[in-house]
Amino acid sequence: MLNQLAEHLAQGLSQTPKSLSSKYFYDTVGSRLFQQIMALPEYYPTRTELAIFEEQGAAIAQALRAGAGVGQPLAVVELGAGDGLKTKILLRALLGLPAASPLTYVPVDISPSALDELVATLRQELPALPTAPLTAEYGEALATLAARPEPKAVLFVGSNIGNFGPVEQLAFLQALAAPLTPADRLLVGFDLRKDPRRIRAAYDDAQGVTAEFNLNLLHRFNNELGADFQLEHWQHFPDYDPSTGAMRSWLVSRRAQTVRVAALGGQAFEFEAWEAIHTENSFKFSLPQIEALAASAGLQVVEVFQDAAGDFADVVLAV
Ligand code: AVI
């Protein structure tokens, strides 16, 4: 029986053009590199969303609680919680609302190491907050979501939605909306369209951390599947298309080469010189596009929270 990673590699490298999913970026090393990316001068989304939460946290908390009755418990379910740095601000704001009632935080992440760290820091910083962490992919998390009886505030922040292609964005929002009741709220972070050069620079930083993050995917296949990718023969290449909002990253083969994968019985994959593997989407959105996407998913936009420069939007949605 092949594991999921091996199956994904076999399938992704057998299609034309070759493509791998960015969800496999987040092994222990990848999660650490992403933490470094979030602090880079060029990578504006994290600090912009952080500022939105810091400056408008109380209003966001109120909007998230508005559907649940006074005194009713609330489960804050966060999909792709990562280090939860920004969410702590919202959790504090929710805990600080007048007549605040019981709150449970359910962080969901694909990386167990990221979740362990998050729970450990929460135990120190917000010891009174019950947490119910879940190591899972989004699909599994949706089933857990449906099973919780109390009103929910579901957070999908950090512009994680941009990592899906347009068809998956809609399918994911529809799946998120399906188990929601009118008492629930959804908070989705969208990175907005802006100067294309700024966007591209955010994925091509001067220190090369994003390149390392992308290349770590190949390192992971070497480590976990006995592949023999030679990292020096691969190049990180990001590109932004301002006409569609598609920010895409590739790994480009610097020369013709063959890669063998032990976990696939030594199967060989051929790469031509300058052939590219698509590894990530990071779509950027306009406000009308967000409205249309929400409407197609059966969701209403309740409130939009933006930074003053209009770089990022945190949108509260309801069924
Ligand atoms: C997690 N995600 C929203 C990040 C993004 O901006 O697409 C991942 C990332 N990839 C390269 N830099 C950051």
Side-chain angles (χ1 to χ4, degrees):
M1 251 277 283
L2 281 183
N3 71 25
Q4 201 194 18
L5 187 68
E7 247 171 58
H8 180 72
L9 183 65
Q11 203 185 38
L13 295 188
S14 303
Q15 67 197 38
T16 313
K18 294 180 172 75
S19 182
L20 296 167
S21 168
S22 60
K23 77 177 178 189
Y24 295 109
F25 281 161
Y26 301 92
D27 64 354
T28 307
V29 174
S31 297
R32 208 191 58 228
L33 286 167
F34 182 52
Q35 304 252 333
Q36 288 177 33
I37 287 174
M38 290 191 287
L40 289 169
E42 297 94 335
Y43 193 75
Y44 60 83
T46 308
R47 77 178 60 89
T48 309
E49 192 174 45
L50 187 70
I52 294 173
F53 288 179
E54 276 169 352
E55 283 156 30
Q56 303 175 69
I60 298 173
Q62 213 139 33
L64 291 177
R65 251 220 169 272
V70 177
Q72 264 195 300
L74 185 74
V76 178
V77 181
E78 182 173 17
L79 304 178
D83 68 1
L85 176 78
K86 288 170 293 185
T87 313
K88 277 184 242 167
I89 300 169
L90 286 187
L91 291 170
R92 282 203 182 90
L94 279 160
L95 287 166
L97 285 180
S101 45
L103 197 68
T104 307
Y105 178 46
V106 185
V108 180
D109 205 278
I110 198 170
S111 161
S113 56
L115 272 183
D116 287 348
E117 275 176 44
L118 170 58
V119 171
T121 54
L122 280 173
R123 227 172 258 146
Q124 291 203 323
E125 292 177 35
L126 295 170
L129 178 71
T131 55
L134 183 66
T135 305
E137 288 197 14
Y138 296 147
E140 276 173 73
L142 292 176
T144 310
L145 231 184
R148 290 198 76 103
E150 71 270 57
K152 287 168 281 292
V154 182
L155 313 183
F156 192 51
V157 298
S159 202
N160 286 334
I161 191 149
N163 294 136
F164 293 132
V167 174
E168 302 165 287
Q169 285 163 19
L170 177 59
F172 187 73
L173 278 187
Q174 280 168 333
L176 263 186
L180 298 188
T181 72
D184 301 327
R185 292 290 180 270
L186 187 57
L187 180 72
V188 184
F190 292 90
D191 192 11
L192 299 177
R193 297 194 188 192
K194 57 184 67 63
D195 182 339
R197 283 161 301 191
R198 258 186 83 204
I199 293 178
R200 198 177 46 197
Y203 294 84
D204 202 11
D205 65 279
Q207 294 171 54
V209 183
T210 311
E212 211 186 314
F213 178 65
N214 197 4
L215 285 160
N216 179 59
L217 187 61
L218 303 184
H219 196 250
R220 182 171 183 185
F221 293 130
N222 287 353
N223 265 347
E224 294 185 31
L225 303 178
D228 63 357
F229 284 100
Q230 289 179 271
L231 269 57
E232 66 275 23
H233 299 319
W234 292 88
Q235 178 181 287
H236 166 63
F237 181 74
D239 196 30
Y240 178 62
D241 178 351
S243 72
T244 60
M247 175 66 228
R248 291 198 169 95
S249 294
W250 288 271
L251 286 166
V252 180
S253 176
R254 291 173 184 268
R255 61 179 201 180
Q257 53 184 321
T258 304
V259 172
R260 290 192 172 73
V261 184
L264 294 171
Q267 189 176 345
F269 298 93
E270 304 291 339
F271 297 89
E272 290 172 19
W274 305 114
E275 184 177 353
I277 310 174
H278 173 244
T279 54
E280 191 180 42
N281 290 315
S282 301
F283 274 85
K284 309 304 169 195
F285 300 83
S286 66
L287 290 174
Q289 203 186 347
I290 294 169
E291 293 261 0
L293 180 63
S296 311
L299 290 159
Q300 300 171 39
V301 173
V302 178
E303 213 165 335
V304 178
F305 297 91
Q306 276 182 264
D307 59 304
D311 282 343
F312 200 94
D314 279 289
V315 181
V316 178
L317 302 154
V319 289

